[in-house]
Structures are given as C-alpha cells and as structure tokens.
Amino acid sequence: TDKLFLGSIVTVYSRQLKLVYYGDAFTRTVFAKNKESSFMLIKPDAYTKTGKIIDSLARSGFMLTNLKMGRFTPATTARFLQQNNCASAEASEHMLSDVSTGIEVVAENASTTLQQCTEALQKQFGSSAVKNAVHSSKDAQTKRADMDCFFDSDITTSAIFNNCTCVVIKPHVVAAGQSGQVIDAILEEGFEISAMQMFYMDKPTAAEFLEIYRGVLPEFVPYCEEMTNGPCIVMEVRQENAVDAFRSLCGPLDPEIAKNLRPNTLRAR
C-alpha cells in the first residue's frame, strides 16, 4: 500500500496506471490522511546541501514523489513569494540568484511533519531570514499553489548541455530512500549537478533509452523492467572530462566486483 496515493503510478499486469482520485468516500477516508502530500523548496543558498536535505527527509519517513531543479523567472518569483506572503526585494534577488529544487513528498500527516523538518533544516543550514535553506508549504491550499507554480513549465530548465554527462538514479535506490546519499556523494566529489528531475518511464521509453545496451548486456530485459518499477531521478552532471570522470566515480557495473576492486565508488556503497 506504500504506492497507493493520488498521483502515484502503479503497474498492474504490466500496465502502468496513474491514480487520479479515490473510488469512493471510504477509500478516501482510509488513504487521504495516511498518504498526505506536501511541498518543499530547496533554495539557492542550500544547493550544496541538496543531497543532505533529501536524505534527511527520507530518514524522517518521507517518500519522494516528484522532484525538479529549475530557475525562477522574475514573474514566477513574484508569484511564488506573494502566495507565501514573503515578498521583498531581498527575497526576490535571492530566488533569482541560482537554481532551486522543488520536492513533493508523501507521508502520514505530511504537512505537520514537514513543517517540523523545515524548522530543523533551517536551523542547521540557514544563515539568515531570507537565506534559510528551505521553504515548505504551510497548508493544503498553499501546497497546491506552490506545486502548480514550481512544476509548471514556466520554471525553466537549468540544464547547460556542455561538459556534462547524463546520470540516472535508478528506481530501487529512490524507493530505498537513498537518492539523497547518492546526490550528496556526487557533490562531495566536486561534480556540479546543473539539472535534475524525477521521471516515470514506461517500457517503450526505457527500451529506447537503453537501446545501446541491447545485445551487449545479457540482462537487457530485466534492466529495462527495473527502470519502470518506479520513479527515477535524472541529472545533468558537469565537470571537465565529465563522462570519464563520472564513470570512474561510479565504478564497475557489478556491485560485488565494485566492493572488492573499487570500494570507494558509488556502486560499491
């Protein structure tokens, strides 16, 4: 039942179905409170702490259901700050200064619990009233407005498309609540994450994305199935000689080999 909440995508007899609403009042009563969603924004000043913040949410029992890194425009900045009653020149300047990451999370009594997490994260990573690391929606109405604003196409991509490689955090890592640890390890190694977004792949998309491995990997079909088992997080990662440098950080494809030969790589952890 962990995946039974509004907006989730479940697989039934190989068909991916999106849950859009409750079938009846009883179902709504049972599931609505236990699988409540809320929204958090990681502000520009906390970019280097993105992985640690996501990991903190996972350790607090939150499940990530949507994520997107992007850049506010002057119009979307004004809209976001006004609907949260915190508009000021300083706040606007800060929101426009760099990338932000919006996250939808699901948990029991999510709004109340997320407010508590927000206060703790602000104390840990914030430096001022404006540069306070994170923002979370205060109620259901504001949450809907915040999500409509940030996940709207008006929040432009932060992808740069040079000196970069594509990195995918697979569904089993996301489901295990370990994506924050992976993101933090990438940043700690000196890579720049210049774009990031959560996607749900269907089987044709997964097969097309992994086409280069067809006939090369004997596990091609299970590999495609794994990519459709839940959401994955896709990142643009930048550094000089990014492809070779990141392959070195990932280590051997087989985790057991990685643990023995390259114990400090991502696949060995």
Side-chain angles (χ1 to χ4, degrees):
T1 61
D2 286 348
K3 294 183 179 180
L4 298 180
F5 55 87
L6 295 187
S8 71
I9 296 176
V10 296
T11 301
V12 180
Y13 293 117
S14 300
R15 296 182 62 190
Q16 289 179 305
L17 306 173
K18 184 174 182 178
L19 304 183
V20 296
Y21 202 66
Y22 305 103
D24 52 44
F26 174 78
T27 305
R28 177 172 182 167
T29 301
V30 172
F31 284 97
K33 199 64 178 178
N34 289 339
K35 296 298 179 183
E36 184 183 19
S37 69
S38 195
F39 174 83
M40 173 175 279
L41 183 76
I42 302 177
K43 296 183 178 182
D45 60 290
Y47 162 79
T48 59
K49 308 300 182 184
T50 298
K52 289 181 172 62
I53 291 170
I54 292 173
D55 187 51
S56 178
L57 293 176
R59 292 177 185 275
S60 297
F62 289 99
M63 178 169 51
L64 271 64
T65 55
N66 203 356
L67 179 149
K68 174 184 173 183
M69 178 182 284
R71 292 184 180 274
F72 278 96
T73 64
T76 52
T77 298
R79 173 183 166 189
F80 188 86
L81 294 177
Q82 286 171 4
Q83 67 197 27
N84 284 283
N85 300 315
C86 56
S88 71
E90 183 182 4
S92 179
E93 181 181 1
H94 176 52
M95 299 295 277
L96 292 168
S97 65
D98 204 346
V99 297
S100 299
T101 300
I103 306 169
E104 181 186 14
V105 294
V106 168
E108 183 177 353
N109 298 315
S111 296
T112 301
T113 308
L114 190 61
Q115 285 294 326
Q116 296 169 352
C117 290
T118 298
E119 293 173 5
L121 291 168
Q122 288 175 339
K123 290 179 181 178
Q124 184 176 1
F125 299 122
S127 60
S128 70
V130 171
K131 297 181 179 181
N132 58 354
V134 294
H135 155 86
S136 62
S137 305
K138 61 184 179 180
D139 53 41
Q141 182 178 354
T142 308
K143 176 206 74 173
R144 187 71 265 163
D146 286 349
M147 289 176 57
D148 286 346
C149 177
F150 195 84
F151 293 125
D152 189 274
S153 58
D154 288 340
I155 300 290
T156 57
T157 179
S158 52
I160 299 174
F161 303 114
N162 63 27
N163 297 325
C164 64
T165 188
C166 176
V167 176
V168 179
I169 301 178
K170 295 181 182 179
H172 71 275
V173 179
V174 177
Q178 297 172 336
S179 54
Q181 298 173 37
V182 175
I183 293 167
D184 191 51
I186 293 170
L187 293 172
E188 288 288 332
E189 289 293 329
F191 290 89
E192 174 192 357
I193 298 176
S194 45
M196 179 165 57
Q197 190 164 346
M198 179 174 280
F199 290 96
Y200 290 80
M201 287 193 190
D202 57 23
K203 289 188 176 180
T205 303
E208 180 181 358
F209 180 72
L210 298 169
E211 179 65 29
I212 191 172
Y213 297 108
R214 189 187 297 273
V216 177
L217 286 179
E219 306 87 357
F220 177 77
V221 173
Y223 199 3
C224 290
E225 290 177 350
E226 155 63 14
M227 297 297 282
T228 65
N229 280 340
C232 57
I233 296 176
V234 182
M235 298 175 283
E236 179 188 76
V237 174
R238 301 181 71 244
Q239 194 184 78
E240 290 297 325
N241 196 23
V243 175
D244 291 339
F246 197 80
R247 281 179 175 171
S248 178
L249 175 62
C250 287
L253 188 62
D254 188 321
E256 292 303 318
I257 295 176
K259 289 175 183 177
N260 286 288
L261 299 182
R262 302 280 301 284
N264 294 322
T265 58
L266 291 178
R267 291 190 177 115
R269 301 182 188 184

